[in-house]
């Protein structure tokens, strides 16, 4: 069974930094692109960042470009999101999500983890 | 950026009724459209991909149709567990990005 378990969220001040992690199991992690998708409280879904299976290619939404860095450690089956210069509008539940197609990237997501909550406030 | 507009915002129906949800794209996305279901306190679950293909384990009462700019998710006969928020998502611009609609809430009448 595929499992995705996010961690690393918490309360951070504006301008601060956090690193989120997503531990994956139940599949050959290095064969699949992965993404981060966030959801502000009571709001809709926003794709944040994606990374190829090898880690060699990364993608970002304009809203986080230059502030967030996605990476992965395929030896540890773990996905990361390093977030710096945090803003109040970055407050959200952050989900990691798996691309369902091996050795490719189709851009829809299945499954999703349960999320880790990031709150940016002074 | 491609904008997805879902309608209605809220759909009030009774169990057993048919639900028809709409997703309109600001420009053609071909059939690169997915639908997700999200229940309170849970992560989204993929229902439909490529406009009309059911994901693994999704019951046959869920069906998707459409191409280009107009898409529909139909739930043929609502069951109690189907009352949730439904999101559409386009991935024609992938990579690098994907965009979601604002969601339709299906609530019990």
């Amino acid at each position: 069974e595929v499992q995705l378990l996010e961690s690393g969220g918490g309360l951070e001040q504006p301008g601060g930094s956090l690193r989120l992690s997503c531990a994956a199991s139940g599949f050959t992690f290095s064969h699949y692109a992965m993404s981060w998708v966030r959801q502000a409280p009571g709001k809709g879904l926003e794709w944040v960042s994606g990374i190829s299976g090898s880690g060699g290619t990364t993608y970002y939404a304009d809203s986080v470009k230059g502030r967030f860095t996605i990476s992965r450690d395929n030896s540890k089956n773990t996905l990361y999101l390093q977030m710096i210069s945090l803003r109040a509008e970055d407050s959200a539940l952050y989900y990691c999500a798996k691309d369902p197609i091996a050795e490719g990237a189709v851009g829809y997501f299945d499954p999703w983890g349960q999320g880790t909550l990031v709150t940016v406030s002074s | 950026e491609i904008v997805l507009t879902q309608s209605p915002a809220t759909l009030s129906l009774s169990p057993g009724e048919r639900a028809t949800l709409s997703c309109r794209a600001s420009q053609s996305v071909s059939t690169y459209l997915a639908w997700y279901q999200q229940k309170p306190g849970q992560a989204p679950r993929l229902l439909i991909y490529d406009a009309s293909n059911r994901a693994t384990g999704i019951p046959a009462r869920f069906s998707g149709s459409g191409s280009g700019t107009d898409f529909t998710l139909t739930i043929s006969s609502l069951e109690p567990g189907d009352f949730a928020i439904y999101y559409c998502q386009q991935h024609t611009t992938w990579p690098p990005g994907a965009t979601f609609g604002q969601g339709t809430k299906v609530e019990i009448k």
Side-chain angles (χ1 to χ4, degrees):
Chain A
E1 179 193 2
V2 173
Q3 289 196 332
L4 301 171
L5 183 62
E6 301 93 336
S7 61
L11 175 63
E12 184 57 65
Q13 292 186 341
S17 302
L18 279 174
R19 188 175 86 154
L20 307 184
S21 299
C22 171
S25 61
F27 63 103
T28 305
F29 183 65
S30 63
H31 288 186
Y32 292 85
M34 299 289 294
S35 281
W36 290 97
V37 180
R38 68 185 180 184
Q39 185 171 36
K43 302 297 184 182
L45 301 165
E46 179 189 16
W47 174 82
V48 172
S49 183
I51 187 168
S52 62
S54 67
T57 307
T58 57
Y59 314 101
Y60 299 94
D62 288 343
S63 57
V64 306
K65 202 171 292 182
R67 300 187 300 120
F68 290 10
T69 302
I70 191 171
S71 62
R72 63 193 296 160
D73 185 336
N74 286 343
S75 68
K76 295 182 178 179
N77 290 347
T78 303
L79 176 72
Y80 302 101
L81 186 68
Q82 178 69 51
M83 306 185 294
I84 67 171
S85 303
L86 284 165
R87 306 167 180 168
E89 54 265 35
D90 295 320
S91 296
L93 187 62
Y94 283 73
Y95 295 103
C96 70
K98 172 182 167 288
D99 196 286
I101 305 299
E103 308 295 357
V106 290
Y108 55 89
F109 312 113
D110 182 39
W112 302 48
Q114 286 304 303
T116 186
L117 184 63
V118 172
T119 303
V120 183
S121 175
S122 54
Chain B
E1 177 185 324
I2 296 176
V3 177
L4 299 179
T5 302
Q6 292 187 241
S7 62
T10 303
L11 197 52
S12 298
L13 295 168
S14 300
E17 289 193 294
R18 182 184 189 89
T20 303
L21 287 67
S22 175
C23 177
R24 177 163 290 177
S26 58
Q27 63 190 79
S28 177
V29 298
S30 184
T31 56
Y32 295 108
L33 192 101
W35 289 94
Y36 300 86
Q37 176 194 66
Q38 187 177 34
K39 297 180 182 179
Q42 296 186 16
R45 177 176 70 147
L46 178 69
L47 298 176
I48 301 288
Y49 64 94
D50 292 345
S52 61
N53 296 295
R54 272 189 303 276
T56 302
I58 301 304
R61 65 180 181 276
F62 292 92
S63 63
S65 63
S67 65
T69 60
D70 290 301
F71 300 86
T72 300
L73 174 70
T74 301
I75 311 171
S76 60
S77 178
L78 282 164
E79 295 195 0
D82 298 338
F83 292 93
I85 299 175
Y86 293 83
Y87 294 95
C88 59
Q89 179 230 329
Q90 68 81 18
H91 54 101
T92 191
T93 55
W94 182 273
T99 53
F100 293 87
Q102 82 280 16
T104 290
K105 182 179 182 180
V106 178
E107 65 176 22
I108 300 176
K109 187 174 181 180

Short mmCIF file of all heavy atoms in Angstrom, two decimals, chain A residues 32-93:
data_model
loop_
_atom_site.label_atom_id
_atom_site.label_comp_id
_atom_site.label_asym_id
_atom_site.label_seq_id
_atom_site.Cartn_x
_atom_site.Cartn_y
_atom_site.Cartn_z
N TYR A 32 8.95 7.80 -9.59
CA TYR A 32 7.76 8.63 -9.69
C TYR A 32 8.05 10.10 -9.40
O TYR A 32 8.71 10.43 -8.41
CB TYR A 32 6.69 8.15 -8.72
CG TYR A 32 6.12 6.81 -9.08
CD1 TYR A 32 6.76 5.64 -8.67
CD2 TYR A 32 4.96 6.70 -9.84
CE1 TYR A 32 6.25 4.39 -9.01
CE2 TYR A 32 4.45 5.47 -10.18
CZ TYR A 32 5.10 4.33 -9.77
OH TYR A 32 4.59 3.10 -10.11
N ALA A 33 7.52 10.97 -10.25
CA ALA A 33 7.52 12.39 -9.92
C ALA A 33 6.64 12.63 -8.70
O ALA A 33 5.69 11.88 -8.45
CB ALA A 33 7.00 13.19 -11.11
N MET A 34 6.97 13.66 -7.98
CA MET A 34 6.21 14.02 -6.77
C MET A 34 5.93 15.51 -6.77
O MET A 34 6.65 16.30 -7.40
CB MET A 34 7.03 13.67 -5.52
CG MET A 34 7.37 12.20 -5.36
SD MET A 34 5.95 11.18 -4.95
CE MET A 34 5.51 11.80 -3.33
N SER A 35 4.91 15.90 -6.04
CA SER A 35 4.54 17.31 -5.94
C SER A 35 4.15 17.68 -4.53
O SER A 35 3.82 16.81 -3.71
CB SER A 35 3.37 17.64 -6.88
OG SER A 35 3.76 17.79 -8.21
N TRP A 36 4.16 18.98 -4.27
CA TRP A 36 3.57 19.57 -3.07
C TRP A 36 2.37 20.41 -3.52
O TRP A 36 2.47 21.19 -4.47
CB TRP A 36 4.56 20.45 -2.33
CG TRP A 36 5.67 19.70 -1.65
CD1 TRP A 36 6.93 19.47 -2.12
CD2 TRP A 36 5.61 19.08 -0.36
NE1 TRP A 36 7.66 18.75 -1.21
CE2 TRP A 36 6.88 18.50 -0.11
CE3 TRP A 36 4.63 18.96 0.64
CZ2 TRP A 36 7.18 17.81 1.07
CZ3 TRP A 36 4.92 18.28 1.81
CH2 TRP A 36 6.19 17.71 2.02
N VAL A 37 1.26 20.22 -2.81
CA VAL A 37 0.04 20.98 -3.07
C VAL A 37 -0.42 21.52 -1.73
O VAL A 37 -0.37 20.81 -0.72
CB VAL A 37 -1.06 20.11 -3.69
CG1 VAL A 37 -2.32 20.93 -3.95
CG2 VAL A 37 -0.58 19.45 -4.98
N ARG A 38 -0.86 22.77 -1.68
CA ARG A 38 -1.27 23.34 -0.40
C ARG A 38 -2.72 23.79 -0.43
O ARG A 38 -3.31 24.00 -1.49
CB ARG A 38 -0.36 24.51 -0.01
CG ARG A 38 -0.46 25.75 -0.88
CD ARG A 38 0.59 26.78 -0.45
NE ARG A 38 0.52 27.99 -1.26
CZ ARG A 38 1.38 29.00 -1.13
NH1 ARG A 38 2.37 28.95 -0.24
NH2 ARG A 38 1.26 30.08 -1.91
N GLN A 39 -3.26 23.93 0.78
CA GLN A 39 -4.65 24.33 0.94
C GLN A 39 -4.75 25.24 2.16
O GLN A 39 -4.57 24.78 3.29
CB GLN A 39 -5.54 23.11 1.10
CG GLN A 39 -7.03 23.41 1.14
CD GLN A 39 -7.87 22.14 1.08
OE1 GLN A 39 -7.51 21.10 1.63
NE2 GLN A 39 -9.00 22.21 0.39
N ALA A 40 -4.99 26.51 1.91
CA ALA A 40 -5.19 27.44 3.01
C ALA A 40 -6.48 27.08 3.75
O ALA A 40 -7.40 26.50 3.15
CB ALA A 40 -5.26 28.87 2.49
N PRO A 41 -6.59 27.40 5.03
CA PRO A 41 -7.77 27.01 5.81
C PRO A 41 -9.06 27.48 5.16
O PRO A 41 -9.23 28.66 4.85
CB PRO A 41 -7.53 27.71 7.15
CG PRO A 41 -6.05 27.83 7.26
CD PRO A 41 -5.57 28.08 5.85
N GLY A 42 -9.95 26.53 4.90
CA GLY A 42 -11.25 26.84 4.31
C GLY A 42 -11.21 27.23 2.84
O GLY A 42 -12.23 27.67 2.29
N LYS A 43 -10.07 27.05 2.21
CA LYS A 43 -9.91 27.47 0.82
C LYS A 43 -9.66 26.27 -0.09
O LYS A 43 -9.69 25.11 0.33
CB LYS A 43 -8.73 28.45 0.70
CG LYS A 43 -8.87 29.69 1.56
CD LYS A 43 -10.06 30.52 1.15
CE LYS A 43 -10.12 31.82 1.96
NZ LYS A 43 -11.32 32.63 1.61
N GLY A 44 -9.40 26.56 -1.37
CA GLY A 44 -9.20 25.52 -2.36
C GLY A 44 -7.75 25.06 -2.42
O GLY A 44 -6.93 25.38 -1.56
N LEU A 45 -7.46 24.30 -3.47
CA LEU A 45 -6.16 23.66 -3.63
C LEU A 45 -5.26 24.48 -4.55
O LEU A 45 -5.72 25.04 -5.55
CB LEU A 45 -6.35 22.26 -4.22
CG LEU A 45 -7.21 21.32 -3.39
CD1 LEU A 45 -7.64 20.11 -4.21
CD2 LEU A 45 -6.46 20.88 -2.14
N GLU A 46 -3.97 24.53 -4.21
CA GLU A 46 -2.99 25.25 -5.02
C GLU A 46 -1.74 24.38 -5.18
O GLU A 46 -1.08 24.05 -4.20
CB GLU A 46 -2.61 26.59 -4.38
CG GLU A 46 -1.57 27.37 -5.18
CD GLU A 46 -1.02 28.59 -4.46
OE1 GLU A 46 -1.20 28.70 -3.22
OE2 GLU A 46 -0.41 29.44 -5.12
N TRP A 47 -1.41 24.03 -6.41
CA TRP A 47 -0.17 23.32 -6.67
C TRP A 47 0.99 24.25 -6.37
O TRP A 47 0.99 25.41 -6.78
CB TRP A 47 -0.12 22.83 -8.11
CG TRP A 47 1.18 22.22 -8.49
CD1 TRP A 47 1.60 20.95 -8.25
CD2 TRP A 47 2.26 22.87 -9.17
NE1 TRP A 47 2.86 20.75 -8.74
CE2 TRP A 47 3.30 21.92 -9.31
CE3 TRP A 47 2.45 24.16 -9.67
CZ2 TRP A 47 4.50 22.23 -9.93
CZ3 TRP A 47 3.64 24.47 -10.29
CH2 TRP A 47 4.66 23.51 -10.41
N VAL A 48 2.02 23.73 -5.69
CA VAL A 48 3.14 24.55 -5.25
C VAL A 48 4.41 24.23 -6.01
O VAL A 48 5.09 25.13 -6.51
CB VAL A 48 3.36 24.34 -3.73
CG1 VAL A 48 4.65 25.02 -3.27
CG2 VAL A 48 2.17 24.85 -2.94
N SER A 49 4.76 22.94 -6.08
CA SER A 49 6.04 22.56 -6.65
C SER A 49 6.02 21.10 -7.04
O SER A 49 5.30 20.30 -6.44
CB SER A 49 7.15 22.83 -5.63
OG SER A 49 8.42 22.54 -6.17
N GLY A 50 6.84 20.73 -8.04
CA GLY A 50 6.97 19.35 -8.45
C GLY A 50 8.41 19.01 -8.77
O GLY A 50 9.24 19.89 -9.01
N ILE A 51 8.71 17.71 -8.76
CA ILE A 51 10.06 17.25 -9.01
C ILE A 51 10.01 15.92 -9.74
O ILE A 51 9.15 15.07 -9.46
CB ILE A 51 10.86 17.15 -7.69
CG1 ILE A 51 12.33 16.84 -7.94
CG2 ILE A 51 10.22 16.12 -6.75
CD1 ILE A 51 13.20 17.02 -6.69
N SER A 52 10.91 15.73 -10.66
CA SER A 52 10.96 14.47 -11.40
C SER A 52 11.47 13.35 -10.50
O SER A 52 11.98 13.59 -9.41
CB SER A 52 11.89 14.62 -12.61
OG SER A 52 13.21 14.92 -12.18
N GLY A 53 11.35 12.12 -10.97
CA GLY A 53 11.76 10.97 -10.19
C GLY A 53 13.24 10.98 -9.83
O GLY A 53 13.63 10.59 -8.73
N SER A 54 14.05 11.41 -10.75
CA SER A 54 15.50 11.47 -10.50
C SER A 54 15.89 12.66 -9.66
O SER A 54 16.99 12.69 -9.09
CB SER A 54 16.24 11.55 -11.84
OG SER A 54 15.98 12.79 -12.48
N GLY A 55 15.02 13.64 -9.59
CA GLY A 55 15.33 14.88 -8.89
C GLY A 55 16.00 15.92 -9.77
O GLY A 55 16.28 17.02 -9.32
N GLY A 56 16.22 15.58 -11.02
CA GLY A 56 16.97 16.47 -11.90
C GLY A 56 16.18 17.64 -12.44
O GLY A 56 16.77 18.61 -12.91
N THR A 57 14.87 17.55 -12.37
CA THR A 57 14.02 18.62 -12.88
C THR A 57 13.02 19.02 -11.82
O THR A 57 12.39 18.17 -11.20
CB THR A 57 13.28 18.16 -14.14
OG1 THR A 57 14.20 17.63 -15.09
CG2 THR A 57 12.54 19.34 -14.77
N THR A 58 12.93 20.32 -11.62
CA THR A 58 12.01 20.85 -10.62
C THR A 58 11.12 21.94 -11.23
O THR A 58 11.50 22.59 -12.21
CB THR A 58 12.77 21.43 -9.42
OG1 THR A 58 13.67 22.45 -9.88
CG2 THR A 58 13.57 20.35 -8.70
N TYR A 59 9.94 22.11 -10.62
CA TYR A 59 8.97 23.08 -11.11
C TYR A 59 8.38 23.81 -9.92
O TYR A 59 8.21 23.22 -8.84
CB TYR A 59 7.85 22.38 -11.87
CG TYR A 59 8.31 21.34 -12.86
CD1 TYR A 59 8.26 19.98 -12.55
CD2 TYR A 59 8.77 21.71 -14.11
CE1 TYR A 59 8.67 19.02 -13.45
CE2 TYR A 59 9.19 20.75 -15.01
CZ TYR A 59 9.13 19.42 -14.68
OH TYR A 59 9.55 18.47 -15.58
N TYR A 60 8.01 25.08 -10.13
CA TYR A 60 7.46 25.89 -9.05
C TYR A 60 6.31 26.75 -9.54
O TYR A 60 6.33 27.24 -10.67
CB TYR A 60 8.55 26.80 -8.46
CG TYR A 60 9.71 26.04 -7.87
CD1 TYR A 60 10.85 25.79 -8.62
CD2 TYR A 60 9.66 25.57 -6.56
CE1 TYR A 60 11.90 25.07 -8.09
CE2 TYR A 60 10.72 24.85 -6.02
CZ TYR A 60 11.83 24.60 -6.80
OH TYR A 60 12.88 23.89 -6.27
N ALA A 61 5.36 26.98 -8.66
CA ALA A 61 4.35 27.99 -8.92
C ALA A 61 5.00 29.37 -8.79
O ALA A 61 5.93 29.56 -8.01
CB ALA A 61 3.20 27.86 -7.92
N ASP A 62 4.48 30.32 -9.53
CA ASP A 62 5.05 31.67 -9.49
C ASP A 62 5.01 32.24 -8.07
O ASP A 62 5.88 33.03 -7.69
CB ASP A 62 4.28 32.60 -10.43
CG ASP A 62 4.58 32.30 -11.90
OD1 ASP A 62 5.60 31.62 -12.18
OD2 ASP A 62 3.79 32.75 -12.76
N SER A 63 4.02 31.85 -7.29
CA SER A 63 3.82 32.41 -5.95
C SER A 63 4.93 32.01 -4.97
O SER A 63 5.08 32.65 -3.93
CB SER A 63 2.47 31.98 -5.39
OG SER A 63 2.37 30.57 -5.37
N VAL A 64 5.70 30.97 -5.30
CA VAL A 64 6.74 30.51 -4.38
C VAL A 64 8.12 30.50 -5.02
O VAL A 64 9.12 30.22 -4.34
CB VAL A 64 6.43 29.11 -3.83
CG1 VAL A 64 5.04 29.09 -3.20
CG2 VAL A 64 6.55 28.04 -4.90
N LYS A 65 8.19 30.79 -6.30
CA LYS A 65 9.46 30.73 -7.01
C LYS A 65 10.48 31.67 -6.36
O LYS A 65 10.18 32.81 -6.05
CB LYS A 65 9.25 31.11 -8.47
CG LYS A 65 10.31 30.62 -9.43
CD LYS A 65 9.88 30.85 -10.88
CE LYS A 65 8.71 29.98 -11.26
NZ LYS A 65 8.32 30.16 -12.68
N GLY A 66 11.67 31.14 -6.13
CA GLY A 66 12.72 31.93 -5.49
C GLY A 66 12.71 31.85 -3.98
O GLY A 66 13.68 32.29 -3.33
N ARG A 67 11.63 31.33 -3.40
CA ARG A 67 11.55 31.21 -1.93
C ARG A 67 11.50 29.76 -1.47
O ARG A 67 11.96 29.44 -0.37
CB ARG A 67 10.32 31.95 -1.41
CG ARG A 67 10.28 33.42 -1.73
CD ARG A 67 9.11 34.12 -1.03
NE ARG A 67 7.82 33.57 -1.43
CZ ARG A 67 6.94 33.01 -0.60
NH1 ARG A 67 7.21 32.91 0.69
NH2 ARG A 67 5.78 32.56 -1.05
N PHE A 68 10.92 28.91 -2.27
CA PHE A 68 10.79 27.48 -1.91
C PHE A 68 11.70 26.66 -2.80
O PHE A 68 11.90 26.97 -3.99
CB PHE A 68 9.36 27.01 -2.11
CG PHE A 68 8.35 27.56 -1.13
CD1 PHE A 68 8.66 28.59 -0.26
CD2 PHE A 68 7.07 27.02 -1.08
CE1 PHE A 68 7.73 29.10 0.64
CE2 PHE A 68 6.12 27.51 -0.20
CZ PHE A 68 6.46 28.55 0.65
N THR A 69 12.25 25.57 -2.22
CA THR A 69 13.08 24.65 -2.98
C THR A 69 12.61 23.22 -2.71
O THR A 69 12.57 22.79 -1.55
CB THR A 69 14.56 24.77 -2.59
OG1 THR A 69 15.00 26.11 -2.81
CG2 THR A 69 15.41 23.81 -3.42
N ILE A 70 12.26 22.52 -3.78
CA ILE A 70 11.86 21.12 -3.66
C ILE A 70 13.07 20.24 -3.92
O ILE A 70 13.94 20.57 -4.75
CB ILE A 70 10.70 20.79 -4.63
CG1 ILE A 70 10.09 19.43 -4.33
CG2 ILE A 70 11.16 20.89 -6.08
CD1 ILE A 70 8.82 19.13 -5.11
N SER A 71 13.16 19.14 -3.20
CA SER A 71 14.25 18.20 -3.41
C SER A 71 13.79 16.82 -2.95
O SER A 71 12.72 16.68 -2.36
CB SER A 71 15.52 18.63 -2.65
OG SER A 71 15.27 18.65 -1.26
N ARG A 72 14.59 15.83 -3.22
CA ARG A 72 14.26 14.47 -2.79
C ARG A 72 15.55 13.70 -2.54
O ARG A 72 16.59 13.98 -3.15
CB ARG A 72 13.40 13.78 -3.84
CG ARG A 72 14.05 13.57 -5.19
CD ARG A 72 13.03 13.16 -6.26
NE ARG A 72 12.41 11.87 -5.96
CZ ARG A 72 11.24 11.48 -6.48
NH1 ARG A 72 10.58 12.26 -7.31
NH2 ARG A 72 10.77 10.29 -6.17
N ASP A 73 15.44 12.75 -1.63
CA ASP A 73 16.54 11.83 -1.36
C ASP A 73 16.00 10.43 -1.65
O ASP A 73 15.27 9.86 -0.83
CB ASP A 73 17.01 11.96 0.09
CG ASP A 73 18.23 11.10 0.39
OD1 ASP A 73 18.46 10.10 -0.32
OD2 ASP A 73 18.96 11.42 1.34
N ASN A 74 16.33 9.92 -2.82
CA ASN A 74 15.76 8.63 -3.22
C ASN A 74 16.32 7.48 -2.39
O ASN A 74 15.69 6.42 -2.31
CB ASN A 74 16.01 8.39 -4.71
CG ASN A 74 15.10 9.26 -5.57
OD1 ASN A 74 14.09 9.79 -5.09
ND2 ASN A 74 15.46 9.43 -6.82
N SER A 75 17.47 7.67 -1.75
CA SER A 75 18.01 6.61 -0.89
C SER A 75 17.23 6.52 0.42
O SER A 75 17.23 5.49 1.09
CB SER A 75 19.48 6.86 -0.59
OG SER A 75 19.65 8.00 0.22
N LYS A 76 16.54 7.61 0.77
CA LYS A 76 15.74 7.65 2.00
C LYS A 76 14.24 7.66 1.71
O LYS A 76 13.44 7.78 2.63
CB LYS A 76 16.12 8.88 2.83
CG LYS A 76 17.54 8.87 3.36
CD LYS A 76 17.81 10.10 4.20
CE LYS A 76 19.23 10.06 4.77
NZ LYS A 76 19.54 11.26 5.60
N ASN A 77 13.87 7.58 0.44
CA ASN A 77 12.45 7.61 0.05
C ASN A 77 11.74 8.82 0.66
O ASN A 77 10.62 8.70 1.18
CB ASN A 77 11.73 6.32 0.47
CG ASN A 77 12.18 5.12 -0.33
OD1 ASN A 77 12.84 5.25 -1.36
ND2 ASN A 77 11.84 3.94 0.15
N THR A 78 12.37 9.96 0.56
CA THR A 78 11.84 11.16 1.21
C THR A 78 11.86 12.36 0.27
O THR A 78 12.85 12.60 -0.42
CB THR A 78 12.60 11.48 2.50
OG1 THR A 78 12.55 10.35 3.38
CG2 THR A 78 12.00 12.68 3.21
N LEU A 79 10.76 13.09 0.30
CA LEU A 79 10.59 14.33 -0.45
C LEU A 79 10.68 15.49 0.53
O LEU A 79 10.22 15.38 1.66
CB LEU A 79 9.22 14.32 -1.13
CG LEU A 79 8.77 15.55 -1.89
CD1 LEU A 79 9.56 15.70 -3.18
CD2 LEU A 79 7.26 15.48 -2.18
N TYR A 80 11.24 16.60 0.07
CA TYR A 80 11.40 17.77 0.94
C TYR A 80 10.85 19.02 0.27
O TYR A 80 10.77 19.12 -0.96
CB TYR A 80 12.89 18.00 1.26
CG TYR A 80 13.58 16.83 1.92
CD1 TYR A 80 14.39 15.97 1.18
CD2 TYR A 80 13.42 16.60 3.27
CE1 TYR A 80 15.02 14.90 1.77
CE2 TYR A 80 14.05 15.52 3.89
CZ TYR A 80 14.85 14.67 3.13
OH TYR A 80 15.47 13.61 3.73
N LEU A 81 10.52 19.99 1.12
CA LEU A 81 10.21 21.34 0.64
C LEU A 81 10.85 22.31 1.62
O LEU A 81 10.41 22.42 2.76
CB LEU A 81 8.71 21.58 0.55
CG LEU A 81 8.33 22.92 -0.09
CD1 LEU A 81 8.70 22.93 -1.57
CD2 LEU A 81 6.83 23.21 0.08
N GLN A 82 11.90 22.97 1.16
CA GLN A 82 12.56 24.01 1.97
C GLN A 82 11.88 25.34 1.66
O GLN A 82 11.81 25.74 0.50
CB GLN A 82 14.05 24.09 1.64
CG GLN A 82 14.78 25.18 2.40
CD GLN A 82 14.91 24.88 3.88
OE1 GLN A 82 15.33 23.80 4.27
NE2 GLN A 82 14.52 25.83 4.71
N MET A 83 11.38 25.97 2.72
CA MET A 83 10.64 27.22 2.55
C MET A 83 11.36 28.32 3.31
O MET A 83 11.61 28.18 4.52
CB MET A 83 9.21 27.06 3.08
CG MET A 83 8.47 25.88 2.47
SD MET A 83 6.75 25.79 3.00
CE MET A 83 6.97 25.45 4.73
N ILE A 84 11.69 29.42 2.63
CA ILE A 84 12.32 30.57 3.26
C ILE A 84 11.48 31.82 3.00
O ILE A 84 10.55 31.77 2.17
CB ILE A 84 13.77 30.79 2.78
CG1 ILE A 84 13.79 31.18 1.30
CG2 ILE A 84 14.61 29.54 3.03
CD1 ILE A 84 15.17 31.63 0.83
N SER A 85 11.82 32.89 3.67
CA SER A 85 11.09 34.16 3.49
C SER A 85 9.59 33.95 3.56
O SER A 85 8.83 34.43 2.71
CB SER A 85 11.49 34.81 2.16
OG SER A 85 12.88 35.02 2.08
N LEU A 86 9.16 33.21 4.57
CA LEU A 86 7.74 32.86 4.67
C LEU A 86 6.86 34.09 4.87
O LEU A 86 7.25 35.06 5.53
CB LEU A 86 7.54 31.87 5.82
CG LEU A 86 7.98 30.44 5.50
CD1 LEU A 86 8.10 29.62 6.78
CD2 LEU A 86 7.00 29.78 4.53
N ARG A 87 5.68 34.01 4.29
CA ARG A 87 4.69 35.09 4.36
C ARG A 87 3.40 34.55 4.97
O ARG A 87 3.16 33.34 4.97
CB ARG A 87 4.40 35.61 2.96
CG ARG A 87 5.61 36.05 2.17
CD ARG A 87 5.26 36.25 0.71
NE ARG A 87 6.42 36.68 -0.09
CZ ARG A 87 6.44 36.70 -1.42
NH1 ARG A 87 5.37 36.31 -2.11
NH2 ARG A 87 7.53 37.11 -2.05
N ALA A 88 2.57 35.44 5.45
CA ALA A 88 1.30 35.02 6.03
C ALA A 88 0.48 34.21 5.03
O ALA A 88 -0.19 33.24 5.39
CB ALA A 88 0.51 36.24 6.49
N GLU A 89 0.57 34.58 3.76
CA GLU A 89 -0.22 33.88 2.74
C GLU A 89 0.31 32.48 2.41
O GLU A 89 -0.31 31.74 1.63
CB GLU A 89 -0.31 34.71 1.46
CG GLU A 89 1.02 35.15 0.89
CD GLU A 89 1.43 36.56 1.32
OE1 GLU A 89 1.12 36.93 2.49
OE2 GLU A 89 2.06 37.26 0.51
N ASP A 90 1.44 32.10 3.01
CA ASP A 90 1.93 30.73 2.86
C ASP A 90 1.30 29.79 3.88
O ASP A 90 1.51 28.57 3.82
CB ASP A 90 3.46 30.68 3.03
CG ASP A 90 4.21 31.43 1.94
OD1 ASP A 90 3.78 31.35 0.77
OD2 ASP A 90 5.19 32.12 2.28
N SER A 91 0.52 30.33 4.80
CA SER A 91 -0.15 29.50 5.80
C SER A 91 -1.14 28.56 5.13
O SER A 91 -2.03 29.01 4.40
CB SER A 91 -0.89 30.38 6.81
OG SER A 91 0.01 31.19 7.54
N ALA A 92 -0.95 27.29 5.35
CA ALA A 92 -1.79 26.29 4.68
C ALA A 92 -1.44 24.90 5.18
O ALA A 92 -0.44 24.70 5.87
CB ALA A 92 -1.56 26.35 3.16
N LEU A 93 -2.29 23.97 4.80
CA LEU A 93 -1.98 22.54 4.97
C LEU A 93 -1.23 22.13 3.71
O LEU A 93 -1.73 22.34 2.59
CB LEU A 93 -3.27 21.77 5.13
CG LEU A 93 -3.18 20.28 5.49
CD1 LEU A 93 -2.50 20.09 6.84
CD2 LEU A 93 -4.58 19.67 5.53
#
